């Protein structure tokens, strides 16, 4: 059987990321992004090998973007596209794994839209457009939340009245599940351990950041909650604050709930603390010239990350390794080193040379002698979505 090809689609409200994954190739034969969908500036950009191309699709929406992308994917796949894998943000309690799309699945995604009002409707638009254009092609959905459905109730329940959980689905769900699942499996492979008999602390650090405790291939706890705002300091998101901050700002500044929400999700995190940028690279440059805001943002980021990892350790019977991934986790030796300094009580220590070597896609172990293992593992959510799709096709 020739190597199969899966098109992976990640639909946002005005954008659509895509990648063609071939099961026997390490790199994607085609990948790209459609942006500003629905506006006169709507555009699709893609890359095949080293060649980059752009096509304007004025006022084009998701369907028009897919009309441009699907023939491209067919062509690059040599006419043999085997399926489409869609990323969906929220599966609520209805989805504990990836699944082939049918009417019940579409209804389930719709039913959970109240939990992710910005994301699930956008994901659905992409799915419906792809189904209309390629009705004969099997399509699969992969949920950010599904991996964390294995968490025990004492990890996912908030200490609020029970009816809020029972009648209104208020609980911790967690996100980044596809990434946590992919890198913990890779880490087990790297150390030649069976996935179903290994324990990991994982830090996924991108624009959004979360930690996860993975036991025998299952999530036992994670730092994000009902929404992706809970937990760590992120690019523009605050992570944990005192829940009474809302009422405090309403009382003292007269802020509306929308103003508080906007501040916590878009104006906080690294951006809010540094007063400079949400981007860790910019903060690293500013740190070198002694910028006080950048220094504080870096320190708070690393300390809060270490504190979260230490908390996650409660969910593990033992630790086979601590895994760093995501744009910051894969590239910032400084963040890794500073975070590990706060974890001395667990005997974690970094080897400076190995730490410096693991950037730009280089995977490896970075612990000093005598320390529990610390790994840098590049994530690949597109590949995991394609793997799930292939498994369901089988
Ligand atoms: P997303 O969550 O949008 O997928 P990424 O995983 O690409 O984001 O991570 C983006 C973050 O990674 C940004 O804060 C960026 O500054 C950071 N990053 C990327 N490269 C480096 C680097 N060489 N050093 C430090 N931070 C980096």
């Amino acid at each position: 059987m020739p190597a199969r090809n899966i098109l992976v689609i990640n639909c946002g409200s005005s954008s659509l990321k895509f990648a063609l994954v071939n099961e026997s190739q390490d790199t994607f034969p085609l990948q790209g992004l459609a942006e500003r969908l629905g506006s006169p500036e709507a555009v699709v950009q893609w890359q095949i090998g080293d060649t980059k191309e752009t096509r304007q699709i004025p006022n084009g929406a998701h369907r028009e973007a897919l009309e441009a992308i699907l023939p491209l994917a067919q062509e690059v796949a040599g006419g043999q596209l085997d399926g489409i894998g869609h990323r969906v943000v929220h599966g609520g309690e209805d989805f504990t794994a990836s699944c082939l799309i049918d009417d019940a699945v579409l209804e389930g995604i719709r039913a959970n839209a109240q939990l992710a009002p910005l994301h699930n409707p956008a994901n659905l638009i992409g799915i419906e457009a792809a189904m209309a254009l390629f009705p004969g092609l099997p399509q699969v959905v992969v949920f950010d939340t599904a991996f964390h459905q294995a968490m025990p109730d004492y990890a996912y329940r908030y200490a609020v009245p029970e009816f809020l959980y029972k009648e209104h689905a208020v609980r911790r769900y967690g996100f980044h599940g596809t990434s946590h699942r992919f890198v913990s499996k890779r880490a087990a492979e790297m150390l030649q351990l069976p996935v179903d008999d290994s324990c990991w602390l994982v830090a996924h650090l991108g624009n959004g950041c979360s930690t996860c405790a993975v036991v025998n291939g299952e999530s036992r706890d994670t730092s994000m909650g009902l929404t992706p705002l809970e937990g760590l300091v992120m690019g523009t998101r605050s992570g944990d604050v005192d829940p009474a901050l809302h009422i405090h700002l309403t009382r003292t500044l007269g802020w509306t709930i929308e103003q508080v929400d906007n501040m916590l999700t878009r104006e906080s995190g690294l951006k809010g603390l540094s007063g400079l940028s949400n981007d860790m690279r910019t903060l690293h440059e500013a740190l070198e010239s002694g910028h006080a805001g950048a220094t504080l943002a870096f320190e708070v980021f690393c300390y809060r990350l270490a504190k979260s990892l230490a908390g996650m350790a409660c969910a593990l019977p033992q630790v086979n390794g601590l895994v760093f991934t995501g744009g910051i986790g894969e590239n910032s030796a400084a963040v890794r080193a500073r975070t590990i300094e706060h974890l001395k009580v667990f005997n974690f220590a970094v080897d400076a040379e190995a730490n410096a070597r693991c950037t730009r896609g280089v995977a490896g172990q970075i612990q000093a002698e005598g320390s529990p293992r610390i790994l840098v593992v590049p994530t690949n959510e597109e590949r995991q979505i394609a793997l799930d799709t292939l498994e369901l096709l089988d």
Side-chain angles (χ1 to χ4, degrees), residues 351-366:
D351 178 89
E353 227 171 85
N355 191 26
R357 216 171 26 241
C358 290
T359 58
R360 295 167 198 278
V362 177
Q365 296 184 40
I366 61 167

Side-chain angles (χ1 to χ4, degrees), residues 17 204-208 278-281 284 326-328 331-332:
K17 276 194 217 155
H204 174 106
L205 312 173
N207 282 308
N278 63 310
D279 194 293
M280 192 56 95
R281 278 166 298 199
H284 282 336
I328 298 173
N331 291 295
S332 175

